[in-house]
Amino acid sequence: MKLYHALRHVGQFRTGFDFGAREVAHWFPGHMAKGLKQMRASLKSVDCIVEIHDARIPFSGRNPVFQETLDVRPHLLILNKMDLADLSNEQRIMQKLNKNGVKNVLFTDCLKQRDDNIKQLVPMVVEIIESHPRFNRDENTNFCLMVIGVPNVGKSSLINSLRRTNLKKGRASRVGGEPGITRAILTRIQVCERPIVHLLDTPGVLPPKIESVETGMKLALCGTILDHLVGEDIIADYLLYSLNRLGKFSYVEKYDLQEPSDDIQHVLKRIAVKLGKTQRVKAITGVGNITITVPNYTAAAYDFIRTFRKGELGQVMLD
């Protein structure tokens, strides 16, 4: 009865998200254009393309510009951050990717100290490479892979995880919680001894034009676009809409709400109060200016988004 009472208004929540006149920023800095050029120039020494993407958005935001690259080399798609994704319908994901021509797919959690799926990567890649012609590299017993993807999906984490698993060595690439950490193609990084496998780390590259505002918002929610370019307020509102649409109401208990809400201002106010995120502002009155304490909605929005990205609001599938 209590659960029914708490969910009594859910049926009246938004069934679509109103983006208004907003447009997602086309974040394509110079290092991305330069990186894409370097990637094309390095293809002659590459045996296989390893594309890494966020498992929460397996169909949205993959850069179509990469297609020119993928067409000339064997391709493996890694859907990383599987610990954050709701994979209860994994078969549907695999079938749709297969229909779109993506035959080789591996789910990973590269931040996990021991990920059994990571152990499958090298044997899987070797099998893929050996089933395709290697052009001018037939006599070379070493393998070279190029890791590509949009920003902040875990390319450097994948390299470090492979080194940790196969070589028992520490990280070779910097990792971070926001896009833009890797800004140029690095030197070859060895990730396996038997067989000898090297990887090329590359900067994250978004398409010059994101295909739709909805796609851009999913990318922003997963942290592949810098928050301030889109706006923490709109990202937080889209997050609330998405959680409600998916029936994921863990934010209610997390932030001590009485029930699910479709009003982002109400939710952010509760978050600000619970976490003590307030700010003092001047208010103009008829008898002079006074300083009052009000909720810091921007700080609350940032915490809401960050909590989602850390997986503390449950596993989701945005596509």
Side-chain angles (χ1 to χ4, degrees):
M1 180 63 73
K2 185 176 180 181
L3 177 63
Y4 172 79
H5 179 76
L7 299 179
R8 67 190 188 281
H9 297 307
V10 169
Q12 303 171 17
F13 286 179
R14 292 171 288 182
T15 57
F17 192 82
D18 182 13
F19 294 101
R22 295 177 182 267
E23 290 187 5
V24 176
H26 299 150
W27 190 54
F28 199 66
H31 76 269
M32 288 190 178
K34 179 181 178 183
L36 193 56
K37 185 177 180 180
Q38 288 179 311
M39 288 158 62
R40 288 171 176 153
S42 301
L43 272 180
K44 62 179 180 293
S45 63
V46 172
D47 295 303
C48 182
I49 298 293
V50 178
E51 180 188 0
I52 185 165
H53 200 60
D54 195 309
R56 293 169 292 184
I57 46 173
F59 314 120
S60 294
R62 291 176 58 210
N63 191 341
V65 177
F66 289 147
Q67 195 61 46
E68 305 167 23
T69 302
L70 304 185
D71 279 345
V72 297
R73 287 293 182 278
H75 173 228
L76 170 64
L77 174 63
I78 292 181
L79 293 175
N80 191 36
K81 306 185 181 182
M82 61 178 291
D83 57 310
L84 305 178
D86 181 359
L87 298 180
S88 58
N89 206 353
E90 182 179 337
Q91 194 62 34
R92 177 187 69 87
I93 297 171
M94 298 295 287
Q95 289 175 349
K96 186 171 180 178
L97 287 171
N98 192 274
K99 186 177 180 181
N100 293 336
V102 182
K103 307 296 184 183
N104 306 302
V105 182
L106 184 66
F107 289 89
T108 63
D109 174 10
C110 291
L111 293 182
K112 192 176 181 181
Q113 284 298 310
R114 292 181 60 85
D115 180 4
D116 290 336
N117 287 7
I118 287 291
K119 295 179 182 179
Q120 301 177 32
L121 192 147
V122 170
M124 193 172 181
V125 163
V126 170
E127 182 179 348
I128 293 171
I129 293 172
E130 291 181 342
S131 65
H132 291 76
R134 294 185 71 195
F135 304 103
N136 62 322
R137 293 177 53 78
D138 278 337
E139 298 178 2
N140 197 327
T141 57
N142 300 345
F143 299 105
C144 183
L145 319 177
M146 181 183 288
V147 181
I148 65 173
V150 300
N152 203 31
V153 289
K155 294 181 296 298
S156 297
S157 295
L158 171 68
I159 292 176
N160 295 332
S161 182
L162 284 168
R163 283 174 57 83
R164 185 170 61 242
T165 300
N166 298 317
L167 299 177
K168 312 303 180 188
K169 293 185 178 180
R171 70 183 192 181
S173 290
R174 288 180 59 207
V175 296
E178 64 179 32
I181 294 297
T182 303
R183 291 188 170 270
I185 290 187
L186 304 179
T187 54
R188 296 197 314 166
I189 302 169
Q190 185 172 353
V191 296
C192 190
E193 183 66 38
R194 295 182 182 178
I196 295 177
V197 178
H198 291 88
L199 293 187
L200 293 178
D201 195 5
T202 64
V205 180
L206 283 170
K209 185 176 181 180
I210 296 171
E211 62 188 51
S212 69
V213 178
E214 184 88 26
T215 294
M217 197 57 65
K218 290 178 182 179
L219 287 167
L221 186 52
C222 291
T224 67
I225 301 174
L226 290 171
D227 292 343
H228 73 270
L229 293 178
V230 181
E232 287 86 350
D233 56 341
I234 187 73
I235 298 175
D237 194 18
Y238 185 76
L239 170 57
L240 179 64
Y241 158 76
S242 298
L243 292 174
N244 288 336
R245 176 176 60 86
L246 296 169
K248 305 285 187 176
F249 303 120
S250 58
Y251 68 89
V252 174
E253 182 178 357
K254 174 75 176 178
Y255 295 114
D256 294 339
L257 275 70
Q258 292 184 339
E259 60 184 2
S261 174
D262 200 30
D263 182 353
I264 188 59
Q265 294 301 311
H266 169 71
V267 172
L268 293 182
K269 184 177 181 180
R270 292 300 309 163
I271 294 174
V273 170
K274 175 177 174 60
L275 302 180
K277 296 184 180 294
T278 58
Q279 57 186 347
R280 296 177 65 82
V281 299
K282 287 185 178 181
I284 301 175
T285 69
V287 294
N289 298 346
I290 60 173
T291 301
I292 60 175
T293 300
V294 298
N296 188 330
Y297 288 97
T298 300
Y302 177 74
D303 186 88
F304 189 34
I305 297 166
R306 184 182 60 179
T307 300
F308 162 76
R309 289 174 182 163
K310 292 167 61 178
E312 295 178 10
L313 298 180
Q315 298 173 314
V316 302
M317 179 60 65
L318 296 173
D319 279 345

